[in-house]
Amino acid sequence: MVDATPAVAPKEVSADCIIVGAGFSGCYSLHKLRELGYSAKIIDAGSDFGGVWHSHRYPGALVDTPTPLYQLSLPQVWQGFNFKLKFPDQREMQSYFQHVAEVLDLRRDTIFRHSIIDTRYDSRTGLWHLKSDKGLRATARYVFFASGTTNKAYIPKFPGLSNFKGRFVHTHDWPEDLFLGEKKKIALIGQGSTGTQVAQEIAKLDADVTIFVRTPNIAYPLRQGKLSIGESERLKTLYHAYFPEAKAIGWATLATNPAPRPFQEDSDEQRREIWELAWETGSFDILTGNYPEIALDKTVNSAFYEFWKEKTRPRITDPKKREMLVPDEQPIWLMARRPVMEDDYYEMIDRDNVSLVDLRKSPIKEFTENGIITENADQGTQTLHEFDLVIFATGYDSVTGSLYDMNIHDKSGTLLQEKWQDGISTHMGMMVPGMPNAFMLYGPQAPGPLSYGPSFIELQMDMLCDLLIRAKTEGIKNLEVTEKAAAKWKTMLYSAYNVVLASQADSWWVGSNIPGKKREPLTWFGGVDTWRLACETSLQGWDDFVPERRASKL
């Protein structure tokens, strides 16, 4: 891997645009802004390109979106790269970002290993000033926050954790020197997408593995597969249709067609035919090739849970594990949380070296020097589980966490987290009242987590570039949205959110995984098509923007 850190990092940097983050959003933004003639610099806390695909090095880390749609649509990039897996793993994604950086010549305008800790707007000059943890100071007229959704790791405040003499890690900060083969007693806490991927891998080790389960996830078969060079090149002949369509559709349904008729109009036999086809295809097609009502209607949702249960139960032979992971009573609404994909999760959990702890019956009381004590209140018993390694797959302070860590101040000097203490307020999920010339990519109140990520990022940045072009043509140098526009956006956001079953579930989609965080929709549930139409309508004129009073100077 290339060491991306320059021999001597600059102390100050000035450009038309500063981009915070070097994942998909940062890479594409730098490329597009250069095309428009702007000077731009990326600042990133990591040591190389990739965003989460640079930092998430835990065992089993992979993409659960198929490769034709999990990449940039730039021909100069995809023409020279061939994915080897249908769902690329972390190593392949890192190779891809190395390729992106080389083809687009991104390194010369990127500064790594600097975390932004303070961000302020100067109303006198119309400039943004950013400061890093290492003293770097950056100045720009425009700032693009491209920090992603899952970059601030969360570990619950377990009593006694500091007393543990073994090693504990969070999947976000997986250390390079951790050799799992040396560990004989491993604990895994958390069973979302990340926890499921980790569980599949550590279960194969010559070690005793204990998995702590609070809410069983409802996981769907991924159907991983290898891609030959020929298959990869054949897919490229379809890219001209894939990429534009991915930016236009409502939900991520490009690879398959949803059910042709409403659920209530089909017979049981017809429903089963649709479900069997979707199941055989695998991955998100199991949901997007389903009845659209599954996200809205409890009857449809419950009916498909029965089908899922029928398919999944035979994969677990241990009756206690089977009852815990595939309960007779549906534990959560399908699609009310981020769907989880798996390859051999249930077979690996069924192994003799894997034990499960039901946290609903026996919650964690505390950590000790040697492990974890759980307490069963009904039985009045405590159990010590000894470990030499504890893996936390406990998620993230998603969407807003990494924004708040940058201590962003608006033009009045108010911190973003203080502005939003009673609720997030944005326009289009990209701009915030009181923050001129500041833009968020893949951020709150936008449909990023429910889209094809790279294609949606391109859509956002293309819209913002068109906005910059129009503003420059008309002599407008300060772009600031109104409070009225943000209030209207929130109304539209909730009109879609209130009808989906996700509004009735606890998840990171609504921030309820973080104690004390306000429960509210962090993503747009109405689909990319409705989001795009609302944005395009707003951007036709200047009604949603504050009239400019003062030109900025750089």
Side-chain angles (χ1 to χ4, degrees), residues 153-203:
Y154 169 66
I155 296 179
K157 295 181 179 179
F158 292 112
L161 179 57
S162 61
N163 298 327
F164 181 55
K165 294 278 182 76
R167 189 167 187 178
F168 66 86
V169 298
H170 190 283
T171 50
H172 176 71
D173 304 304
W174 196 267
E176 294 184 3
D177 64 345
L178 178 54
F179 179 54
L180 290 176
E182 298 175 346
K183 305 301 180 182
K184 296 302 179 184
K185 296 182 178 181
I186 302 174
L188 173 61
I189 302 176
Q191 285 296 277
S193 293
T194 299
T196 298
Q197 291 177 348
V198 173
Q200 292 178 149
E201 298 306 311
I202 63 175

Side-chain angles (χ1 to χ4, degrees), residues 9 96 106 115 178 238 312 323 340 360 392 441 493:
Y96 173 75
L106 302 180
S115 297
L178 178 54
L238 304 174
T312 308
E323 184 54 37
V340 176
R360 294 167 300 179
F392 290 106
L441 299 172
L493 175 85

Side-chain angles (χ1 to χ4, degrees), residues 418-439:
E418 294 176 2
K419 285 174 67 74
W420 287 354
Q421 62 181 350
D422 295 324
I424 296 169
S425 178
T426 81
H427 181 47
M428 304 181 291
M430 294 190 288
M431 300 181 71
V432 179
M435 290 173 50
N437 296 341
F439 310 99

Side-chain angles (χ1 to χ4, degrees), residues 34-285:
R34 282 175 175 173
E35 283 191 332
L36 293 185
Y38 289 104
S39 60
K41 297 289 183 182
I42 291 176
I43 302 174
D44 190 89
S47 61
D48 212 336
F49 293 98
V52 295
W53 297 113
H54 176 65
S55 60
H56 290 191
R57 303 178 181 181
Y58 60 84
L62 56 75
V63 179
D64 52 17
T65 299
T67 51
L69 295 164
Y70 202 76
Q71 60 182 312
L72 297 176
S73 68
L74 300 171
Q76 64 267 46
V77 173
W78 58 254
Q79 284 174 351
F81 191 89
N82 293 95
F83 285 100
K84 298 177 182 178
L85 292 171
K86 181 180 177 182
F87 300 94
D89 59 18
Q90 187 272 339
R91 291 183 179 180
E92 191 164 29
M93 286 307 303
Q94 189 57 38
S95 296
Y96 173 75
F97 274 99
Q98 297 291 317
H99 172 74
V100 171
E102 180 180 354
V103 171
L104 301 182
D105 190 21
L106 302 180
R107 292 195 184 278
R108 61 183 169 90
D109 286 320
T110 304
I111 301 169
F112 289 107
R113 293 193 173 98
H114 281 265
S115 297
I116 297 301
I117 59 171
D118 190 75
T119 308
R120 298 174 186 268
Y121 182 75
D122 187 339
S123 296
R124 297 171 302 167
T125 61
L127 299 177
W128 283 95
H129 298 270
L130 299 85
K131 185 173 69 174
S132 82
D133 58 339
K134 294 182 174 66
L136 172 70
R137 295 182 180 275
T139 305
R141 176 177 295 145
Y142 303 105
V143 62
F144 294 80
F145 299 110
S147 53
T149 59
T150 53
N151 277 308
K152 184 175 182 179
Y154 169 66
I155 296 179
K157 295 181 179 179
F158 292 112
L161 179 57
S162 61
N163 298 327
F164 181 55
K165 294 278 182 76
R167 189 167 187 178
F168 66 86
V169 298
H170 190 283
T171 50
H172 176 71
D173 304 304
W174 196 267
E176 294 184 3
D177 64 345
L178 178 54
F179 179 54
L180 290 176
E182 298 175 346
K183 305 301 180 182
K184 296 302 179 184
K185 296 182 178 181
I186 302 174
L188 173 61
I189 302 176
Q191 285 296 277
S193 293
T194 299
T196 298
Q197 291 177 348
V198 173
Q200 292 178 149
E201 298 306 311
I202 63 175
K204 300 178 176 71
L205 298 172
D206 181 19
D208 292 324
V209 175
T210 302
I211 300 175
F212 292 80
V213 181
R214 181 176 59 185
T215 304
N217 64 50
I218 299 176
Y220 310 94
L222 183 69
R223 312 293 188 209
Q224 177 65 290
K226 294 182 179 180
L227 290 176
S228 66
I229 296 293
E231 289 172 317
S232 180
E233 289 296 328
R234 182 183 60 80
L235 283 172
K236 290 180 182 181
T237 65
L238 304 174
Y239 283 4
H240 69 284
Y242 276 164
F243 291 127
E245 185 69 12
K247 298 176 184 179
I249 56 176
W251 290 75
T253 59
L254 184 56
T256 187
N257 294 318
R261 298 169 300 276
F263 177 84
Q264 297 296 347
E265 293 182 8
D266 274 353
S267 64
D268 290 343
E269 292 76 15
Q270 289 172 316
R271 294 168 186 166
R272 187 167 192 91
E273 182 180 355
I274 287 170
W275 288 341
E276 289 284 2
L277 177 61
W279 191 266
E280 183 63 27
T281 305
S283 69
F284 281 99
D285 290 357

